[in-house]
Amino acid sequence: MADLYAIELALTLSASTPEPVLALIREHMEPYAEDGVAEDGDEGDDFAPPPFKVLAARGPAYRVGGECTAALTRTPAGWTLTARQEIHAESLPDAEQLLNALTPHLTTPEAPLGTLRFYEDPAPEPITPDASGAVRLS
């Protein structure tokens, strides 16, 4: 039995979103290094995998169907982030952490950020910040 979730995001960030927040999004979108080679090109037995990147997957999803994608686009009103990813249950806190970094910069803070669906469930649940602006996925 798998513990996979489909997470779909469709949100708009304000034009004043600080560069460190945009850099965080871009970091989560970068693909992982291949073949166990560290980012700086060093190989070794002590190479640890990088932290989980919430938006890095591309291509066919394993269990949830469809494609894994992510795009950050500049618009006249700010930035749009659209993504569809397949993540394991143990990575939900990583997704929460990323979304919580974004919520202060949303143009419509009360609107859903997207949806989350356990792969066996027929319908997704909306991802909406609570009254304090925090996102809870688990």
Side-chain angles (χ1 to χ4, degrees):
M1 175 187 237
D3 58 347
L4 295 172
Y5 288 82
I7 185 168
E8 296 188 26
L9 303 174
L11 53 97
T12 303
L13 302 168
S14 69
S16 63
T17 301
E19 184 54 39
V21 173
L22 298 172
L24 176 66
I25 296 168
R26 290 182 189 109
E27 181 180 320
H28 274 276
M29 291 174 63
E30 289 178 7
Y32 290 101
E34 294 182 22
D35 300 328
V37 177
E39 294 290 328
D40 61 4
D42 293 336
E43 293 185 41
D45 294 333
D46 59 350
F47 175 71
F52 180 71
K53 296 180 179 185
V54 177
L55 305 172
R58 298 293 183 275
Y62 175 68
R63 284 271 193 194
V64 300
E67 293 282 317
C68 293
T69 64
L72 178 65
T73 307
R74 181 81 164 120
T75 68
W79 297 88
T80 60
L81 174 62
T82 55
R84 184 173 194 283
Q85 297 287 305
E86 180 178 66
I87 62 174
H88 287 270
E90 67 265 10
S91 300
L92 290 175
D94 298 307
E96 282 180 2
Q97 185 177 17
L98 174 63
L99 293 174
N100 284 324
L102 304 182
T103 57
H105 310 288
L106 295 172
T107 57
T108 53
E110 67 284 346
L113 306 174
T115 61
L116 182 70
R117 178 180 64 84
F118 182 64
Y119 85 101
E120 291 180 334
D121 289 346
E125 296 291 324
I127 300 170
T128 307
D130 64 18
S132 71
V135 173
R136 309 257 189 272
L137 299 178
S138 46

